[in-house]
Amino acid sequence: MTRVLITGFAPFGGESVNPSWRAATLVAAEPPAGLTVTATELPCVFGKSLDTLRDAIRAKAPDLVLCLGQAGGRPGVTVERAGLNLDDARIPDNAGRQPIDEPVIADGPAAYFSTLPVKACVAAMREAGVPAAVSNTAGTFVCNHVAYGLGHLIATEFPHIRGGFVHVPWAPEQVTDGTAPSLPPATVAHGLRALLVTAAGTPAEQDLKVTEGATH
């Protein structure tokens, strides 16, 4: 059995829900065959989110870590290729902090790439009927903070695990005017189960050689 830790965030920015946490709990409640999945909610706070993630990794001893975050406005589930060593918050986090042009890790490398097969994960979700794409930016808010921080934890403290970050769209109830794209958390969770099976069985170096790039 492959042990998986899946995380989602607490609501932020005035929202009452965060679809990343809803999807994480659904996957943990009904994991795919061959995987044991536990879920941990991360605070939407710079610094504290990484402390909580580190503690969860130590407590759960996973083989694979999948961190989720909300990306309102995106039409599908997006697998992040990399996290940048940059905190540049457009809005304050849930503790009122708003770092500008600060590193996630002082003297850390400029970026960490996901150690998941990002293109194969996207293909698996599409095959499961869930809209998905590769993303080349996780933003510069707490989601990117965790995407980069996870990479740093793997590189420096937990080299035996693999992991990556995935953004999920708004849930339908968050789109009150009906003009922005959304996905039910149950649909997201269905795609994530396919992603996890693929990630567990496919090393990053054996990722698909298909076009998933972007021109801007």
Side-chain angles (χ1 to χ4, degrees):
M1 298 287 284
T2 298
R3 298 184 303 275
V4 177
L5 171 65
I6 188 168
T7 73
F9 278 108
F12 69 96
E15 298 277 2
S16 60
V17 299
N18 192 315
S20 68
W21 177 236
R22 285 192 174 179
T25 58
L26 290 172
V27 174
E30 295 185 30
L35 307 181
T36 60
V37 181
T38 56
T40 295
E41 185 181 59
L42 302 183
C44 189
V45 177
F46 290 100
K48 188 177 179 181
S49 54
L50 292 185
D51 293 338
T52 303
L53 177 60
R54 179 188 287 107
D55 290 345
I57 293 174
R58 288 173 174 166
K60 306 300 183 182
D63 304 301
L64 190 69
V65 178
L66 185 69
C67 296
L68 310 177
Q70 171 187 296
R74 292 188 183 182
V77 181
T78 49
V79 183
E80 299 297 340
R81 196 191 298 260
L84 298 179
N85 193 11
L86 176 66
D87 291 334
D88 191 11
R90 183 179 61 82
I91 60 174
D93 67 10
N94 285 356
R97 291 196 60 229
Q98 192 171 3
I100 298 174
D101 296 339
E102 295 181 11
V104 179
I105 303 294
D107 301 320
Y112 281 109
F113 283 95
S114 174
T115 54
L116 304 182
V118 295
K119 295 180 178 180
C121 287
V122 166
M125 284 190 286
R126 289 174 179 165
E127 187 174 348
V130 177
V134 171
S135 170
N136 295 310
T137 174
T140 55
F141 194 51
V142 185
C143 285
N144 175 75
H145 184 83
V146 166
Y148 181 90
L150 173 61
H152 190 73
L153 287 172
I154 292 172
T156 61
E157 297 183 41
F158 306 103
H160 58 287
I161 69 175
R162 295 189 297 133
F165 195 96
V166 170
H167 267 120
V168 307
W170 275 318
E173 65 263 37
Q174 293 176 281
V175 185
T176 56
D177 61 3
T179 62
S182 65
L183 278 179
T187 301
V188 173
H190 177 65
L192 293 175
R193 293 185 187 99
L195 178 156
L196 286 173
V197 170
T198 296
T202 310
E205 57 270 20
Q206 295 179 16
D207 200 4
L208 298 177
K209 295 296 183 182
V210 296
T211 300
E212 288 288 347
T215 56
H216 62 280

